[in-house]
Amino acid sequence: MSRHSRYRRARTPLTLMATAAVAAGLFAATGGPASAAKTTSPAAKATASKAGKPTVVLVHGAFADSSSWNGVIKRLKEDGYPVVAAANPLRGVSSDAASVKHLLAGIGGPVVLVGHSYGGAVISNAAHGSGNVKALVYADAFLPDKGESANELAGKFEGSVIGEVLRPVPITNPDGSKDVDLYIDQSKFHQAFAADVPARTAGLMAVTQRPGTGSGLEEPSGEPAWKSIPSWSLVGTDDKIIPRELQVYMAKRAGARIEEIKSSHAVTVSHPDAVTRIIEQAARTVR
């Protein structure tokens, strides 16, 4: 198969990832949307002030929802970190990043911003110009440079099965334009997305996955915050969505501190200890 045809096949799948990653947030750890606002989150601010620890903001990726962070949230809170799992629209990089940027503006004190999958593209854009973000953490995630889309990056290396497992659903946007929402076929979700997660859990994840739009993964990134903010990258070596080679390429280009782990794309579910560990490494550098 030619490189061009491989790229064409990867484009549709990635469009979903990018969009879907930002979309499914619940403000999981601090009690819902109110916890993210300065005037309504005294508990989060008190915890941060007492412990001297930054707030950790989590942004999930495509084909997932905020419950994918539950194991990480539990561990961070046990270690005294204020946590917010962002609600992401999953409609496009710029609009999704704007949503996260508004959330960040409502948090007092320093922030460690964490993205999984397409959420990496979102945090790269949301943190640009957000003065309270002091560290970026990428977990099996995209780190686009300015002008790059998730689809473009997906065509750089072989190894992703995403083009083989997506199920597009036509949609009409509020302005009347046509697009598609992309889902992973539920029967293929376990092996493609979460091979090292128990089948029962992966089955639930397949049912609750959030779609992203095709156009969202086509949208080019703006200026990435990783050019000016210290970054960390946890790379899943068995990732079938964003292959290891692509992850390492992006992380090295960004100057991120890289750790590798034998994991599927669903690293936040299958390895919450490792994800928590790299987040806390980043957090300890924040002053």
Side-chain angles (χ1 to χ4, degrees):
M1 179 180 294
S2 70
R3 185 174 186 85
H4 178 68
S5 61
R6 287 195 305 269
Y7 170 71
R8 286 174 61 83
R9 188 179 68 178
R11 291 183 64 196
T12 297
L14 264 206
T15 304
L16 164 56
M17 281 189 77
T19 293
V22 174
L26 297 174
F27 299 149
T30 53
S35 66
K38 291 181 183 179
T39 57
T40 56
S41 58
K45 290 194 293 182
T47 301
S49 176
K50 181 178 179 180
K53 294 181 176 180
T55 297
V56 177
V57 176
L58 306 168
V59 180
H60 72 79
F63 321 119
D65 67 11
S66 284
S67 67
S68 63
W69 294 109
N70 282 354
V72 176
I73 293 167
K74 177 178 181 292
R75 288 160 175 78
L76 288 170
K77 288 184 69 65
E78 286 173 349
D79 292 342
Y81 287 90
V83 188
V84 176
N88 303 305
L90 297 179
R91 301 293 90 183
V93 175
S94 58
S95 61
D96 296 341
S99 176
V100 174
K101 189 182 288 284
H102 287 311
L103 184 152
L104 295 171
I107 296 175
V111 168
V112 176
L113 187 56
V114 186
H116 171 243
S117 188
Y118 163 73
V122 175
I123 69 169
S124 295
N125 284 265
H128 182 67
S130 297
N132 57 342
V133 178
K134 304 301 181 183
L136 297 168
V137 179
Y138 297 86
D140 282 359
F142 287 106
L143 292 76
D145 202 346
K146 184 177 181 180
E148 293 179 335
S149 69
N151 281 338
E152 179 183 350
L153 287 168
K156 278 188 174 292
F157 301 97
E158 297 183 8
S160 176
V161 302
I162 189 65
E164 304 166 11
V165 301
L166 283 185
R167 183 174 64 85
V169 177
I171 60 171
T172 301
N173 294 315
D175 63 1
S177 61
K178 304 296 184 181
D179 206 337
V180 291
D181 269 342
L182 298 170
Y183 296 83
I184 293 179
D185 187 314
Q186 290 188 24
S187 68
K188 300 175 181 177
F189 188 96
H190 189 190
Q191 287 305 311
F193 192 91
D196 55 353
V197 173
R200 182 184 180 91
T201 301
L204 293 173
M205 292 169 64
V207 171
T208 59
Q209 67 178 289
R210 297 291 299 273
T213 62
S215 62
L217 281 159
E218 297 278 358
E219 183 180 347
S221 174
E223 189 70 21
W226 48 255
K227 290 186 176 180
S228 58
I229 299 175
S231 302
W232 284 254
S233 181
L234 182 63
V235 174
T237 59
D238 291 344
D239 193 330
K240 295 180 181 179
I241 303 298
I242 309 177
R244 173 193 174 275
E245 189 176 6
L246 174 58
Q247 291 188 53
V248 171
Y249 163 78
M250 294 184 292
K252 285 185 175 179
R253 180 180 64 177
R257 279 158 266 197
I258 300 170
E259 291 190 16
E260 297 193 2
I261 184 169
K262 185 177 176 60
S263 173
S264 72
H265 189 62
V267 66
T268 62
V269 178
S270 58
H271 296 282
D273 286 330
V275 176
T276 303
R277 184 169 60 250
I278 196 168
I279 292 171
E280 293 188 357
Q281 287 175 9
R284 284 193 291 271
T285 70
V286 174
R287 297 291 180 265

